Amino acid sequence: MEIKKGIAVSPGISIAKSMVIDSEDYRIPYRAIEPGQRTNEIRRLRKAFSDAIDELTQLEETHKNKGSQIKDIFAVHQRFLHDRSLQKKIADTIRTELVTAEYAISNTFREIASHFADEKDAYISERAADIYDIARRVLKQLLGKKREEIGQLKEEVIIVARELSPIQTASFDKKFVKGITSDAGGRTSHAAIVARSLGIPAVVALEDFSTIVNEDDSVIVDGNRGIVIVNPDEKTIREYQEYREDFNQLGHKLNTLREKPAVTRDGANITLLGNIEFPGEAQTVLEKGGDGIGLYRTEFLYLNKTTEPTEEEHYEAYSQTIKAMQNKPVVIRTLDLGADKYTQSKRFVREPNPFLGLRSIRFCLQNIMMFKTQLRAILRASVLGNVKIMFPLITNQQELMQAKMILHDVMEDLSEEHIDYNRNMPVGIMVETPSAALTAFSLAKEVSFFSIGTNDLTQYTLAVDRSNELVSTLYSTADPAVLRLIRTVVQDAHKAQIDLSICGEVASEPEYIMLLLGMGVRTFSLASPMIPEIKQIIRSVTMTDCNKVARKILSMNSERHITSYLRNAARKILPEAF
Ligand code: PEP
Ligand code: MG
């Protein structure tokens, strides 16, 4: 039995067999096998090589009229893939070291590549990159099959990975994927956000956990306390089964609040909205008692496709969501691509600092045709219900004016084509950069609402990557600098008499609710599985107490003191949540 502590990102307890997945990289972590699995691993190795040869031969056929340089590259790849002694060396590694085919392949290729890289002759040393390409080609055969298996699960599993992309996480079937662990990531990385939306217990930032776990090991994921246990003993399993039972009962109890209003004990009405990534989640928002959708992350429409979605595909997704919400508000956020959310076609174009790069509204303003396609679909869908549009990652007034101008152009086009849309559709922005927060007073004159995106606001204010586990202890929205910016934005929105909500992950964290209420926030948008618990907190507090908490916190200078003060205050209100 081995216990590891990471960051709890999605609540709940699960116990199941592990399914270990690797990324399509040549650096596969060490994985041991039982002696009885040797034959199967060697069979997998041979099949991966022969499938890679088939794939390469087909590629050669399609590129047969290209230049001689391309032909040379293909020839090098073919020579390696047909090299019997290479396959034998890898098979020997599997046999003697008792490791998986993936590990044996990646390790052997890495050794060969390092011999090339050590050569003084530049031409030879640069061939190391080719060796890695060949390794990737073979590994893709094995890992691609694994992805297919994940798509066709027949029994419950816990996914164990080094790193997960948001789209990998979104493709998990909730019926069978009972828990998620990843070595990398932070509380607000998008894979974590998706796990929370799906209601799958998850723990991230587990260092080398994925290398400790073998396929089919028994694993416990405690998404409440951020603990994972591999091969637990009988006593631990029993304790966790009881804990799971208690936790699930609390969930059932909270679900009974569905029809009750989110109102404080002294009568302040609060609006609770859901964050979604896919139209199908609208139903969960309603089931959990949400008053609408406060953040629809539309870029997910792009992430699992190799081609750009058409206007009709956009329209279909939006109209399905809007109709499901039956006239309740739906805030559609325009594409927030880039950083950790790449389209399939842009997956390999890496920027040096992707979170500071061509991301979000910046990407849209440089890809106007793509942006207009989405805007047309949103405008067409705007007549189907209560729709608002929201631009992400605004950093200055000029960017906002440009986005609004393009929206205007699209409106004119639709008018000319006699296509119906809501001319008065509210336009808002996400406030998620320090520059937008500090100029909120002037941006407020141009929009109908603000939504504070604390996930990015925290990252950009503190200069801490939100998805990097190495700096996760430095990432905290309770930092006085971030809280002061939030207060500024709330005050400026109130002065300008525009709507304000908060849609970052803190809106689903019980500790933050009293503080945010005390700071003047009245609308929260959060992962819908968390709505009942947050409603329970709201129904248990008075605004008088919340105001006191906010006053006290805003006079404090240390993140550590603030965090412990918030935790104690919330623990008094809802002890079961902690
Ligand atoms: C945020 O940044 O707080 C936010 C809600 O947007 P996202 O998490 O999608 O970046
Ligand atoms: Mg954001």
Side-chain angles (χ1 to χ4, degrees), residues 190 193 297 333 359 430 432 453-456 466 503-504:
H190 281 102
I193 288 172
R297 292 183 166 100
R333 175 175 79 180
R359 178 189 172 195
M430 293 198 64
E432 48 185 351
T454 48
N455 304 339
D456 277 317
R466 62 192 268 186
C503 65

Side-chain angles (χ1 to χ4, degrees), residues 36-37 46 54 142 257 335 360 418 420 552:
Q37 293 171 290
R46 304 243 185 269
D54 288 350
L142 291 169
L257 292 177
L335 299 166
S360 199
H418 305 291
D420 223 9
K552 174 76 188 164

Side-chain angles (χ1 to χ4, degrees), residues 188-190 193 275 277 295 297 299-300 333 336 340-341 355 359 392-393 430-432 451-457 460 466 475 503-505:
T188 63
S189 46
H190 281 102
I193 288 172
N275 290 351
E277 287 77 34
L295 170 64
R297 292 183 166 100
E299 58 280 0
F300 278 80
R333 175 175 79 180
D336 191 18
D340 61 345
K341 287 177 289 190
F355 276 104
R359 178 189 172 195
L393 207 79
M430 293 198 64
V431 180
E432 48 185 351
S451 192
I452 307 179
T454 48
N455 304 339
D456 277 317
L457 187 60
Y460 293 123
R466 62 192 268 186
Y475 181 95
C503 65
E505 295 315 297

